Amino acid sequence: MTTKELVAQIRKKKSFLCIGLDTDVDKIPQHLLEEEDPIFSFNKAIIDATHHLCVAYKPNIAFYEAYGIKGWKALEKTMKYLNDNHPEIFTIADAKRGDIGNTSTRYAKAFFEHMGFDSITIAPYMGKDSVEPFLAFHDKHTILLALTSNEGAYDFQTKLVEGKELYKQVLATSKTYKNSENLMYVVGATKASFLTGIREIVPESFLLVPGVGAQGGSLEEVCHYGMTKNIGLLVNSSRGIIYASNKKDFAEAAAEKAEELQNQMAQELQKTN
Amino acid sequence: MTTKELVAQIRKKKSFLCIGLDTDVDKIPQHLLEEEDPIFSFNKAIIDATHHLCVAYKPNIAFYEAYGIKGWKALEKTMKYLNDNHPEIFTIADAKRGDIGNTSTRYAKAFFEHMGFDSITIAPYMGKDSVEPFLAFHDKHTILLALTSNEGAYDFQTKLVEGKELYKQVLATSKTYKNSENLMYVVGATKASFLTGIREIVPESFLLVPGVGAQGGSLEEVCHYGMTKNIGLLVNSSRGIIYASNKKDFAEAAAEKAEELQNQMAQELQKTN
């Protein structure tokens, strides 16, 4: 998917919501456990109830990997369902991969080609030749970890490297990579005030923003500091939406929570008009 | 597996060789493609021919992930075969994972519990709460990326952070993590001279050293700068061993290459006596 198509979809749906599919068999409604593939059944119900309210889905790959082959089957089925029924929706493999060249190419093929994701999250620690293999794929997007929403972000990401915080070095250096126009960045909502400095380095790039809701980030602040004329934001919510209820009404409850966020997003979008 | 058991095995086999199972269907001998599971058949033949010469196997997870469910099945079969037949051998999931707390726990369960790996490689960028969930597993080892063997290592890892290179900050900071005794580190052989400085920070820790052979690192230098009284080294070779021949004699050819390295290692071990 092109960035232009993503922006068009955001304007049409008045939403830049990404729903995180962190599907955990211990947290989904009990009655689904009788189904043949409870993980897929849960995802399908969430997608059916929320696809008109969001522009992206982000399966958290660890949750699928934890169930071995059963988990990978559920993930492949989810991706096929999304690509068959809602090809306009942007899909993110939240995988945080990154390895030397020929290995990164393997990961890129697995997620972009084999599973049909539009994008993947990547850790920057190994530098240029670990990131560029992902950037080489046409109309696919590489979402580099810059400033994450967790406590441990302060261990290294915010430390000064040659007078500039490491996450800013990551932003600046990655702009020199080949096909850098295919880059997006992860910036946690819990650190919204950092967005001003980030926008100085990457004024146009899309940012994937986790941490609104469950982790305490504010949507209004994120938009205030981070929104661009082409929006440039995908705000993710996972648990706050998909586990809004663990009873038979879980899909409706998820849609309600998603709609709340979508309404707030519509208001934020109006401010920019 | 405990570190003590690993050291005992190294002394017994006179080897600290780790063989990387970067199994690529395009590179394995053609005649294996007729088998039901060519990836597993290849791995089994390599293991049967080399298990007495090495102390560790390191499947590169990307290579399996690239083949989807078929790849994961081959990986699970390989791990079952290793744990059933050679439980004394140390196994490394070269996965380079790392995510926020509850997600890292998922990855840890997938590799340590579900697949029975002894260890996993982890990227440090997200800091403490992304690493500690792996460290919480008893007698399992977390191999943190410190200084990798690729070109891109110079993008961020060697940059000065508060007067000290980032990879040294990673070493020093990680020592403060809970259960840090379960840490090992990745240090590329292509940067063997850096090992002196590394040993000042982590004098006892095991280092997983890729880059000997194909990537140009020297075994002698690695041992000179990096070996401790408990060895403290696992030196990996992947392509140089497993693709020594792509004909019917591939397993014997792999064993020959592994034996060459094991002989050199036996000599290095003798120097320390």
Coordinates of all heavy atoms in Angstrom, one line a residue, chain B residues 151-184:
Chain B
E151 N 28.7 -4.5 9.2 CA 29.0 -3.1 8.8 C 28.2 -2.1 9.6 O 28.7 -1.1 10.2 CB 28.8 -2.9 7.3 CG 29.2 -1.6 6.8 CD 30.7 -1.5 6.5 OE1 31.3 -2.5 6.3 OE2 31.1 -0.3 6.5
G152 N 26.9 -2.3 9.7 CA 26.0 -1.4 10.4 C 26.2 -1.2 11.9 O 25.7 -0.4 12.5
A153 N 27.1 -2.1 12.4 CA 27.4 -2.0 13.8 C 28.0 -0.6 14.2 O 27.9 -0.1 15.3 CB 28.4 -3.1 14.2
Y154 N 28.6 0.0 13.1 CA 29.2 1.3 13.3 C 28.2 2.5 13.3 O 28.5 3.6 13.7 CB 30.3 1.6 12.3 CG 31.5 0.6 12.4 CD1 31.7 -0.4 11.4 CD2 32.4 0.7 13.4 CE1 32.7 -1.3 11.5 CE2 33.5 -0.2 13.5 CZ 33.6 -1.2 12.6 OH 34.6 -2.1 12.7
D155 N 27.0 2.2 12.9 CA 26.0 3.2 12.9 C 25.7 3.8 14.3 O 25.6 5.0 14.5 CB 24.7 2.7 12.3 CG 24.6 2.9 10.8 OD1 25.6 3.3 10.2 OD2 23.5 2.7 10.2
F156 N 25.4 2.8 15.2 CA 25.1 3.2 16.6 C 25.9 2.6 17.7 O 26.3 3.2 18.6 CB 23.6 2.9 16.8 CG 22.7 3.4 15.8 CD1 21.9 2.6 15.0 CD2 22.5 4.8 15.5 CE1 21.1 3.1 13.9 CE2 21.7 5.3 14.5 CZ 21.0 4.4 13.7
Q157 N 26.3 1.3 17.5 CA 26.9 0.6 18.6 C 28.2 1.1 19.1 O 28.6 1.1 20.2 CB 27.1 -0.9 18.2 CG 25.8 -1.6 17.9 CD 26.0 -3.0 17.2 OE1 27.1 -3.6 17.3 NE2 25.0 -3.4 16.5
T158 N 29.0 1.7 18.1 CA 30.3 2.2 18.5 C 30.3 3.7 18.8 O 31.4 4.2 19.0 CB 31.3 1.9 17.4 OG1 30.8 2.5 16.2 CG2 31.5 0.4 17.1
K159 N 29.2 4.3 18.7 CA 29.1 5.7 19.0 C 29.3 6.0 20.5 O 28.8 5.2 21.3 CB 27.7 6.3 18.5 CG 27.6 6.3 17.0 CD 28.3 7.5 16.4 CE 28.0 7.8 14.9 NZ 28.4 6.7 14.0
L160 N 29.9 7.1 20.8 CA 30.1 7.5 22.2 C 28.8 8.0 22.9 O 28.2 8.9 22.4 CB 31.2 8.5 22.3 CG 32.6 8.1 22.0 CD1 33.6 9.2 22.3 CD2 33.0 6.8 22.8
V161 N 28.5 7.3 24.0 CA 27.3 7.7 24.8 C 27.9 8.1 26.2 O 28.4 7.2 26.9 CB 26.4 6.5 25.0 CG1 25.2 6.9 25.9 CG2 25.9 6.0 23.6
E162 N 27.8 9.3 26.5 CA 28.4 9.8 27.8 C 29.8 9.3 27.9 O 30.2 8.7 29.0 CB 27.5 9.3 29.0 CG 26.1 9.9 28.9 CD 25.1 9.4 29.9 OE1 25.5 8.5 30.7 OE2 24.0 9.9 30.0
G163 N 30.6 9.4 26.9 CA 32.0 9.1 26.9 C 32.4 7.6 26.8 O 33.6 7.3 26.8
K164 N 31.4 6.8 26.6 CA 31.6 5.4 26.4 C 30.9 4.8 25.2 O 29.7 5.3 25.0 CB 31.1 4.7 27.7 CG 31.9 3.4 28.1 CD 31.2 2.7 29.2 CE 31.6 3.0 30.6 NZ 30.9 2.3 31.7
E165 N 31.4 3.9 24.5 CA 30.7 3.4 23.3 C 29.4 2.8 23.7 O 29.3 2.1 24.8 CB 31.5 2.4 22.5 CG 32.8 2.9 21.9 CD 34.0 2.9 22.7 OE1 33.8 2.8 24.0 OE2 35.1 3.0 22.2
L166 N 28.4 2.9 22.9 CA 27.0 2.4 23.2 C 27.1 0.9 23.6 O 26.5 0.5 24.5 CB 26.1 2.6 22.0 CG 24.7 2.0 22.1 CD1 23.9 2.5 23.3 CD2 23.8 2.2 20.9
Y167 N 27.9 0.1 22.8 CA 27.9 -1.3 23.2 C 28.5 -1.6 24.6 O 28.1 -2.5 25.3 CB 28.7 -2.2 22.1 CG 30.2 -2.0 22.1 CD1 31.0 -2.9 22.9 CD2 30.8 -1.0 21.4 CE1 32.4 -2.7 22.9 CE2 32.2 -0.9 21.3 CZ 33.0 -1.7 22.1 OH 34.3 -1.6 22.1
K168 N 29.4 -0.7 25.0 CA 29.9 -0.8 26.4 C 28.9 -0.4 27.4 O 28.8 -1.0 28.5 CB 31.2 0.0 26.5 CG 32.4 -0.5 25.8 CD 33.7 0.2 26.2 CE 34.9 -0.3 25.4 NZ 36.1 0.5 25.6
Q169 N 28.1 0.6 27.0 CA 27.0 1.0 27.9 C 26.0 -0.2 28.0 O 25.4 -0.4 29.1 CB 26.2 2.2 27.3 CG 27.0 3.5 27.3 CD 27.1 4.2 28.7 OE1 26.7 3.6 29.7 NE2 27.8 5.3 28.7
V170 N 25.7 -0.8 26.9 CA 24.8 -2.0 27.0 C 25.4 -3.1 27.9 O 24.7 -3.6 28.8 CB 24.6 -2.6 25.5 CG1 24.0 -3.9 25.6 CG2 23.8 -1.6 24.7
L171 N 26.7 -3.4 27.8 CA 27.3 -4.3 28.7 C 27.1 -3.9 30.2 O 26.7 -4.7 31.0 CB 28.8 -4.5 28.4 CG 29.1 -5.1 27.0 CD1 30.6 -5.0 26.7 CD2 28.7 -6.6 26.9
A172 N 27.5 -2.7 30.4 CA 27.6 -2.2 31.8 C 26.1 -2.1 32.4 O 25.9 -2.6 33.5 CB 28.2 -0.8 31.9
T173 N 25.2 -1.5 31.6 CA 23.8 -1.4 32.1 C 23.2 -2.7 32.4 O 22.5 -3.0 33.4 CB 23.0 -0.5 31.1 OG1 23.7 0.7 30.9 CG2 21.6 -0.3 31.7
S174 N 23.4 -3.7 31.4 CA 22.7 -5.0 31.5 C 23.2 -5.7 32.8 O 22.4 -6.6 33.3 CB 23.0 -5.8 30.3 OG 24.3 -6.2 30.2
K175 N 24.4 -5.4 33.3 CA 24.8 -6.1 34.5 C 24.0 -5.7 35.7 O 24.0 -6.4 36.7 CB 26.3 -5.7 34.8 CG 27.3 -6.5 33.9 CD 28.7 -6.0 34.1 CE 29.3 -6.5 35.4 NZ 30.7 -6.1 35.5
T176 N 23.3 -4.6 35.6 CA 22.4 -4.2 36.8 C 21.0 -4.8 36.7 O 20.2 -4.6 37.6 CB 22.2 -2.6 36.8 OG1 21.5 -2.3 35.6 CG2 23.6 -1.9 36.7
Y177 N 20.7 -5.5 35.6 CA 19.4 -6.1 35.4 C 19.2 -7.3 36.4 O 20.2 -8.0 36.7 CB 19.2 -6.6 34.0 CG 19.1 -5.5 33.0 CD1 19.2 -5.9 31.6 CD2 19.0 -4.2 33.3 CE1 19.1 -4.9 30.6 CE2 19.0 -3.2 32.3 CZ 19.0 -3.5 31.0 OH 19.0 -2.6 30.0
K178 N 18.0 -7.5 36.8 CA 17.7 -8.7 37.7 C 18.0 -10.0 37.0 O 17.7 -10.2 35.8 CB 16.2 -8.6 38.1 CG 15.9 -9.5 39.2 CD 14.5 -9.3 39.7 CE 14.2 -10.4 40.8 NZ 12.8 -10.5 41.1
N179 N 18.7 -10.9 37.7 CA 19.1 -12.2 37.2 C 20.1 -12.1 36.0 O 20.2 -12.9 35.1 CB 17.9 -13.0 36.7 CG 16.9 -13.3 37.7 OD1 17.3 -13.8 38.8 ND2 15.6 -13.1 37.5
S180 N 21.0 -11.0 36.2 CA 21.9 -10.8 35.1 C 23.0 -11.9 34.9 O 23.7 -12.0 33.9 CB 22.7 -9.4 35.3 OG 23.4 -9.5 36.5
E181 N 23.0 -12.8 35.9 CA 23.9 -13.9 35.8 C 23.5 -14.8 34.6 O 24.3 -15.7 34.2 CB 24.0 -14.7 37.1 CG 22.7 -15.5 37.5 CD 21.7 -14.6 38.3 OE1 21.9 -13.3 38.3 OE2 20.7 -15.1 38.8
N182 N 22.3 -14.7 34.1 CA 21.8 -15.4 33.0 C 22.1 -14.8 31.6 O 21.7 -15.2 30.6 CB 20.3 -15.7 33.1 CG 20.0 -16.6 34.3 OD1 20.8 -17.4 34.7 ND2 18.8 -16.4 34.8
L183 N 23.0 -13.7 31.7 CA 23.3 -13.0 30.4 C 24.6 -13.6 29.8 O 25.5 -13.9 30.4 CB 23.5 -11.5 30.7 CG 22.3 -10.7 30.8 CD1 22.7 -9.3 31.4 CD2 21.6 -10.5 29.5
M184 N 24.5 -13.6 28.5 CA 25.7 -13.8 27.6 C 25.6 -12.7 26.6 O 24.6 -11.9 26.6 CB 25.7 -15.2 26.9 CG 25.7 -16.4 27.8 SD 25.7 -17.9 26.8 CE 25.9 -19.1 28.1

